[in-house]
Amino acid sequence: MITPGIFHKIKIIVIGFLFGAILLIAMSVIQKIIVGHTPLLHKECIILVLFGGVSGSLITHYLFKIKTLNKALQQRVNTLESVLPICSYCKKIRKPKTDWKNPNSWQPLESYITDRTASQFTHGICPNCMEKLHGKKYSIKPEPTYPEPN
């Protein structure tokens, strides 16, 4: 059974085929008239229809593909660029269009981003937090840098 999406794609490719064939024939007729030859022979017409049609089909196929990919990219950018409601204490993010009072509406930052992107997380501890949690004993001081001799 043909789904509406497949039918739409076939329709676009057929329209592209017809448009490409008509455009190539028209351009050939104009060129022949300008040069002063007889407009077209039957054999030339078949070749022009095939080449024009295939070219038009390919162009419309790729334009359709670009349009689809642009739409998906725009949705992804909108997801990543929207304002995120985040808890100022635990840093959980509220799922879009949910009640802020419902505890199930909030999810950890890492899982929110991993669900919506190809990003993965690994955890470590920064030097400031290391010092706050463990004191000076585990404090990480940056290595001193020395200028290179000339």
Side-chain angles (χ1 to χ4, degrees):
M1 184 169 152
I2 297 178
T3 63
I6 293 173
F7 180 74
H8 180 67
K9 190 172 182 179
I10 291 170
K11 185 172 72 172
I12 287 176
I13 290 174
V14 168
I15 290 171
F17 184 91
L18 294 173
F19 183 73
I22 291 169
L23 185 64
L24 191 58
I25 288 173
M27 295 302 293
S28 294
V29 167
I30 291 170
Q31 181 185 18
K32 294 265 185 177
I33 291 172
I34 290 173
V35 173
H37 295 288
T38 51
L40 283 177
L41 301 173
H42 183 64
K43 291 179 187 176
E44 291 175 337
C45 241
I46 293 172
I47 293 171
L48 291 174
V49 166
L50 288 175
F51 282 121
V54 170
S55 300
S57 296
L58 288 173
I59 290 169
T60 54
H61 169 73
Y62 285 112
L63 288 175
F64 182 76
K65 190 87 165 165
I66 289 169
K67 182 180 176 184
T68 306
L69 291 173
N70 277 339
K71 187 184 283 188
L73 180 64
Q74 187 60 46
Q75 288 173 343
R76 188 174 179 120
V77 167
N78 287 344
T79 299
L80 296 175
E81 288 186 352
S82 62
V83 176
L84 298 175
I86 187 167
C87 174
S88 59
Y89 182 71
C90 70
K91 305 303 181 205
K92 285 185 179 178
I93 294 178
R94 184 168 47 92
K95 297 173 192 168
K97 299 176 184 167
T98 58
D99 182 19
W100 69 273
K101 297 174 195 167
N102 182 353
N104 295 328
S105 298
W106 297 85
Q107 69 183 117
L109 173 72
E110 294 91 345
S111 64
Y112 181 87
I113 292 175
T114 330
D115 290 348
R116 288 162 177 75
T117 67
S119 300
Q120 296 294 316
F121 284 87
T122 181
H123 291 84
I125 188 165
C126 73
N128 291 339
C129 291
M130 180 70 88
E131 191 171 324
K132 283 179 192 174
L133 291 170
H134 301 290
K136 299 281 184 187
K137 181 178 178 183
Y138 294 106
S139 174
I140 301 171
K141 299 292 181 195
E143 294 286 326
T145 56
Y146 302 102
E148 288 187 26
N150 293 333

